[in-house]
């Protein structure tokens, strides 16, 4: 369990973090959503002991030697060493002796090939993210912090990383805290979300609650959309097979039913978020 | 602590820059040898024209001892610069690549981590000086043989071959202490400045300032100031070795090395990494 109580940090006159509090239970994945400069990285650096808060406190319930594993900003690895060597070096530094099989096990856990012995500078960003998670998981911590893990990943890379995070939280009963400025990605992995702006948590709740505040319009992919009178009445923007319409969350089911009744063949309905409006709303 | 030191050595010898630095030392050494071979005899003949008419010199004056003496003179400026660049890179590269965060996100003690950096700096410095001494003496004695050594410090000094070798070994030992000081200083500078280029510039600046201060009369500070003890290795090429000064300055160099490392460790442990 990760518990933060009123954490604050300033750099000179700049307030980076102001009275931030939250709880993350074991096995729970929570997300921190906020624009660049919101204070997410500062918060993570405090939780991992890299910097000290000006006031407030935090605790991580764990009896392990290493309580928390983390990737802050980017997965920083020894680019001139292989993935195996990176894990061995970082393990040895904390007194762990990993056998070759244990290193392979760790690599397999995060979905990396065990037969790559070239320097990690040749790895893709997605592979580096996975290796970063493998280094964070060394010494079996009870909590995991991932700062912007989806940044720069392609859709397939994002999907694999999502699956990995969910699997780790479930199998290892980890408390996981993930930050991003992409609501869509966070909503796919997190049970709870915290909105952060200007160093403060401005809103929090279950992912569904936050999503309901954020979904201002829906993108409908289908056939015969231009024939729909309902969409015209709602002043939807319609292209050949896509329509964007603004309706209340509770009215989405009725809308879909009406469109089906009008002979529209619906292929996909996707909520689209406008983070600026979400931040403004909270 | 030992485990961290071992991993630091693995990191040091897995980086290309380490080998470029070692290669640079060997290239400088080679250039000195070529210079001595090409012009050494001619210059010595001009300098000693009158003396050789009145004294009998044992063997050629352009010999391995003299070449080693020239190597010592030339490399006590170039060598620290190379050592400081490589050693400071042990820490600045961690800041640049942010691997220092990755390390400190593990259960690694900050104090042990930085102490290991000083440890590996010590090991590397000893290795570099040993490499320099071994390669320089092997090549110098192989190509130029042995003979009496002539130096010009407060006048001309002549040393018989056997004594010359002893004095060169002593000079290398004292020089090693100086190198350790510079090496530790480069880590401490890296702790303060973090940036690779800035640290390198400050290292070069320190060496240049040192070169200027060593020639200035600083009054009573001559006895205590760091810059004034950096040329102690040269005392071994005076006719009479001023042993009290040698011991004093040697002790002072050890004191400075420990002081510099203590300041670096204190600062690193105290300051946030992020």
């Amino acid at each position: 369990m990760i518990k933060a109580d009123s954490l604050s940090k300033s750099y000179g006159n700049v307030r980076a973090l102001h009275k931030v509090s939250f709880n993350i239970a074991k096995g729970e994945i929570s997300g921190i959503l906020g624009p660049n400069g919101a204070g997410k990285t500062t918060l993570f650096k405090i939780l991992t002991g890299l910097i000290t808060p000006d006031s407030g406190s935090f605790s991580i319930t764990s009896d392990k030697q290493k309580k928390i594993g983390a990737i802050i900003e980017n997965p920083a690895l020894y680019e001139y060493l292989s993935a195996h060597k990176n894990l061995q070096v970082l393990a040895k530094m904390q007194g762990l002796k990993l056998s070759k099989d244990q290193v392979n096990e760790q690599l397999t856990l995060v979905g990396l090939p065990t037969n790559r012995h070239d320097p990690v500078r040749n790895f893709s960003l997605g592979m580096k993210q996975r290796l970063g998670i493998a280094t964070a998981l060394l010494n079996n911590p009870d909590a995991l912090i991932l700062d912007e893990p989806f940044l720069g990943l392609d859709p397939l890379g994002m999907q694999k990383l999502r699956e990995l995070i969910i699997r780790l939280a479930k199998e290892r009963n980890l408390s996981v805290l993930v930050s991003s400025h992409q609501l869509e990605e966070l909503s796919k992995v997190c049970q709870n979300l915290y909105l952060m702006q200007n160093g403060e948590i401005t809103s929090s709740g279950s992912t569904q609650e936050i999503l309901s505040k954020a979904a201002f319009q829906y993108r409908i992919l289908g056939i015969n959309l231009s024939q729909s009178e309902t969409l015209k009445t709602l002043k939807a923007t319609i292209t050949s097979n896509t329509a964007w319409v603004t309706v209340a969350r509770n009215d989405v089911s009725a809308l879909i039913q009406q469109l089906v009744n009008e002979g529209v063949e619906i292929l996909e309905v996707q909520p689209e978020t406008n983070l600026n409006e979400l931040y403004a709303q909270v | 602590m030992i485990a961290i030191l071992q991993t630091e050595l693995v990191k040091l010898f897995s980086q290309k820059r380490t080998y470029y630095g070692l290669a640079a030392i060997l290239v400088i050494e080679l250039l000195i040898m070529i210079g001595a071979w090409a012009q050494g005899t001619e210059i010595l003949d001009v300098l000693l024209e009158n003396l050789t008419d009145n004294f009998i010199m044992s063997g050629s004056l352009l010999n391995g001892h003299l070449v080693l003496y020239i190597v010592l003179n030339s490399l006590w400026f170039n060598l620290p610069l190379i050592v400081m660049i490589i050693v400071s890179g042990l820490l600045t590269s961690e800041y640049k690549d942010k691997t220092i965060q990755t390390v400190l996100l593990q259960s690694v003690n900050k104090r042990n981590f930085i102490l290991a950096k000083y440890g590996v700096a010590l090991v590397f410095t000893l290795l570099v000086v040993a490499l320099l001494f071994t390669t320089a003496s092997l090549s110098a004695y192989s190509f130029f043989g042995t003979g009496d050594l002539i130096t010009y410090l407060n006048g001309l000094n002549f040393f018989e071959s056997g004594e010359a070798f002893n004095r060169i070994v002593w000079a290398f030992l004292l020089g090693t202490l100086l190198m350790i000081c510079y090496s530790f200083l480069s880590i401490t500078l890296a702790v303060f400045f973090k940036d690779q280029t800035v640290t390198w510039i400050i290292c070069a600046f320190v060496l240049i300032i040192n070169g200027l201060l060593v020639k200035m009369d600083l009054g009573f500070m001559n006895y205590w100031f760091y810059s004034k003890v950096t040329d102690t290795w040269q005392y071994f090429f005076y006719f009479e070795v001023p042993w009290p000064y040698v011991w004093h300055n040697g002790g002072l160099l050890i004191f400075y090395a420990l002081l510099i490392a203590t300041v670096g460790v204190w600062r690193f442990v105290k300051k946030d990494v992020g």
Side-chain angles (χ1 to χ4, degrees), chain A residues 241-259:
Chain A
N241 56 1
T242 310
W244 284 268
V245 60
T246 304
V247 289
R249 184 171 164 253
N250 296 338
D251 296 334
V252 176
S253 301
L255 172 65
I256 292 169
Q257 190 59 55
Q258 270 179 299
L259 293 177

Side-chain angles (χ1 to χ4, degrees), chain A residues 163-180:
Chain A
E163 288 166 3
L164 175 64
I165 294 168
I166 293 168
R167 183 160 53 87
L168 286 172
K170 194 176 172 186
E171 289 175 2
R172 298 194 167 201
N173 203 26
L174 294 175
S175 308
V176 183
L177 184 57
V178 187
S179 81
S180 180

Side-chain angles (χ1 to χ4, degrees), chain A residues 34-255:
Chain A
N36 291 336
K40 306 186 292 287
T41 302
T42 303
L43 172 64
F44 285 2
K45 284 183 176 175
I46 288 174
L47 293 175
T48 51
L50 290 177
I51 57 177
T52 44
D54 296 334
S55 61
S57 62
F58 69 94
S59 63
I60 297 156
T61 312
S62 171
D63 55 1
K64 304 273 177 64
Q65 184 194 1
K66 177 178 160 185
K67 294 183 175 185
I68 195 163
I71 305 178
I72 308 284
E73 292 164 331
N74 291 309
L77 302 158
Y78 292 106
E79 299 271 329
Y80 50 88
L81 298 177
S82 67
H84 293 78
K85 209 74 187 167
N86 263 283
L87 286 176
Q88 280 168 339
V89 160
L90 289 165
K92 194 170 183 179
M93 287 182 113
Q94 49 194 317
L96 296 175
K97 281 182 184 171
L98 289 189
S99 67
K100 202 179 167 187
D101 286 344
Q102 285 171 312
V103 171
N104 286 340
E105 210 174 281
Q106 200 79 4
L107 290 172
T108 309
L109 175 75
V110 294
L112 282 175
T114 55
N115 59 352
R116 289 277 300 257
H117 293 281
D118 53 323
V120 296
R121 62 171 164 262
N122 300 335
F123 282 24
S124 68
L125 182 60
M127 291 171 80
K128 285 180 185 173
Q129 288 283 18
R130 287 162 169 274
L131 184 56
I133 293 175
T135 64
L137 291 173
L138 284 170
N139 225 346
N140 294 319
D142 281 325
L144 185 63
I145 280 180
L146 303 171
D147 187 15
E148 300 280 3
F150 304 108
L151 204 64
L153 293 184
D154 59 26
L156 186 64
M158 285 188 190
Q159 188 192 332
K160 284 185 171 177
L161 189 58
R162 279 198 306 268
E163 288 166 3
L164 175 64
I165 294 168
I166 293 168
R167 183 160 53 87
L168 286 172
K170 194 176 172 186
E171 289 175 2
R172 298 194 167 201
N173 203 26
L174 294 175
S175 308
V176 183
L177 184 57
V178 187
S179 81
S180 180
H181 54 259
Q182 296 170 289
L183 178 59
E184 284 82 3
E185 287 312 313
L186 281 185
S187 67
K188 287 171 187 167
V189 289
C190 299
Q191 289 123 25
N192 293 304
L193 289 177
Y194 296 88
L195 257 62
M196 202 167 181
Q197 284 177 281
N198 302 320
E200 286 183 68
I201 288 181
T202 50
S203 180
S204 63
S206 71
T207 302
Q208 285 311 311
E209 283 169 4
I210 299 292
L211 267 184
S212 66
K213 291 177 189 170
F216 292 97
Q217 67 177 17
Y218 292 84
R219 183 173 61 85
I220 301 169
L221 186 67
I223 298 164
N224 301 330
L225 288 166
S226 56
Q227 293 172 10
S228 166
E229 287 301 319
T230 310
L231 288 177
K232 284 174 191 162
T233 311
L234 290 170
K235 295 180 181 168
T237 307
I238 304 170
T239 62
S240 58
N241 56 1
T242 310
W244 284 268
V245 60
T246 304
V247 289
R249 184 171 164 253
N250 296 338
D251 296 334
V252 176
S253 301
L255 172 65

Side-chain angles (χ1 to χ4, degrees), chain A residues 9 45 48 50-52 65-66 68-73 75-78 80-81 85 88-90 92-95 121 135-136 138-139, chain B residues 2-4 6-8 10-12 14-16 93-94 97-108 110 113 117 271-274:
Chain A
K9 177 79 181 177
K45 284 183 176 175
T48 51
L50 290 177
I51 57 177
T52 44
Q65 184 194 1
K66 177 178 160 185
I68 195 163
I71 305 178
I72 308 284
E73 292 164 331
L77 302 158
Y78 292 106
Y80 50 88
L81 298 177
K85 209 74 187 167
Q88 280 168 339
V89 160
L90 289 165
K92 194 170 183 179
M93 287 182 113
Q94 49 194 317
R121 62 171 164 262
T135 64
L138 284 170
N139 225 346
Chain B
I2 298 293
I4 302 177
Q6 285 171 340
T7 57
E8 287 303 321
V10 168
K11 284 193 256 173
L12 175 68
S14 301
Q15 294 181 73
K16 282 182 187 165
S93 64
E94 300 250 20
D97 301 334
K98 296 196 171 174
T99 45
I100 196 161
Q101 277 191 10
T102 307
V103 170
L104 296 176
L105 287 172
Q106 311 297 328
S107 59
V108 174
K110 248 177 136 179
F113 175 72
K117 291 286 183 194
K271 205 165 184 326
D272 287 339
V273 168

Side-chain angles (χ1 to χ4, degrees), chain B residues 161-230:
Chain B
S161 183
E163 197 191 343
F165 181 74
N166 286 340
R167 285 175 182 249
I168 286 168
V169 170
W170 271 108
F172 263 98
L173 289 174
L174 227 298
T176 306
L177 279 182
L178 179 61
M179 286 302 108
I180 291 167
C181 259
Y182 281 131
S183 181
F184 281 10
L185 180 62
S186 69
I187 294 267
T188 301
L189 289 173
V191 168
F192 277 86
F193 295 101
K194 296 180 183 175
D195 181 82
Q196 204 158 47
T197 313
V198 172
T199 305
W200 288 352
I201 291 170
I202 302 285
C203 286
F205 183 70
V206 166
L207 286 173
I208 293 165
I209 293 292
N210 228 24
L212 294 173
L213 289 177
V214 78
K215 291 171 189 142
M216 286 184 191
D217 186 2
L218 302 174
F220 87 101
M221 288 300 285
N222 285 342
Y223 201 60
W224 300 106
F225 193 58
Y226 174 73
S227 299
K228 300 300 289 182
V229 297
T230 55

